[in-house]
Amino acid sequence: MTRILTVVVSGAVGVGLGALSGRILFDGTAWNMIPWAIVAIAIGLVTDNRRTALLASGTYGYLLVAVFLYAANTGNTPVAQRILFALALGLVGPVCTIALTVITRLIRLGVQRHRPSDD
């Protein structure tokens, strides 16, 4: 898969999962972190190079958290304020998803290096 397609698909998954998590999936509780982490791990497993992994997981994490915060905020707060809040706190998402993706890639590369050859 090309880098651009990987980043776009990761972003779309982030938007979709963020919207589902904010309103439907686990009713906005901490249980949402399980599927979020699974996707971040999957990004680390399927990407073929480090730059693609960083871009894809950063895009996924930012959009996931920003959309989740916007969707989960059901109070009487004005829309503009909800959007600004979600956009600002959305910056936390890439920190977590990039870290998990990098750890997954390091483990995957370590396992591949130590796998016995079939020669």
Side-chain angles (χ1 to χ4, degrees), residues 17-109:
L17 194 54
L20 280 174
S21 297
R23 295 290 175 118
I24 299 168
L25 190 65
F26 300 119
D27 199 28
T29 64
W31 286 101
N32 283 306
M33 287 192 243
I34 294 169
W36 296 358
I38 290 170
V39 173
I41 290 168
I43 291 170
L45 291 174
V46 301
T47 51
D48 54 352
N49 66 52
R50 183 179 35 210
R51 183 175 292 162
T52 303
L54 293 174
L55 288 170
S57 63
T59 302
Y60 161 73
Y62 180 76
L63 292 173
L64 169 75
V65 173
V67 170
F68 170 76
L69 289 173
Y70 180 78
N73 187 353
T74 58
N76 294 332
T77 310
V79 173
Q81 194 173 3
R82 285 173 50 193
I83 291 172
L84 290 174
F85 173 75
L87 292 176
L89 279 180
L91 295 172
V92 172
V95 173
C96 300
T97 56
I98 287 172
L100 190 54
T101 298
V102 167
I103 290 168
T104 301
R105 284 185 50 78
L106 290 172
I107 292 169
R108 184 186 83 185
L109 294 173

Side-chain angles (χ1 to χ4, degrees), residues 1-14 47 51-60 63:
M1 200 164 13
T2 66
R3 177 176 296 150
I4 293 172
L5 183 59
T6 303
V7 172
V8 169
V9 168
S10 297
V13 169
T47 51
R51 183 175 292 162
T52 303
L54 293 174
L55 288 170
S57 63
T59 302
Y60 161 73
L63 292 173

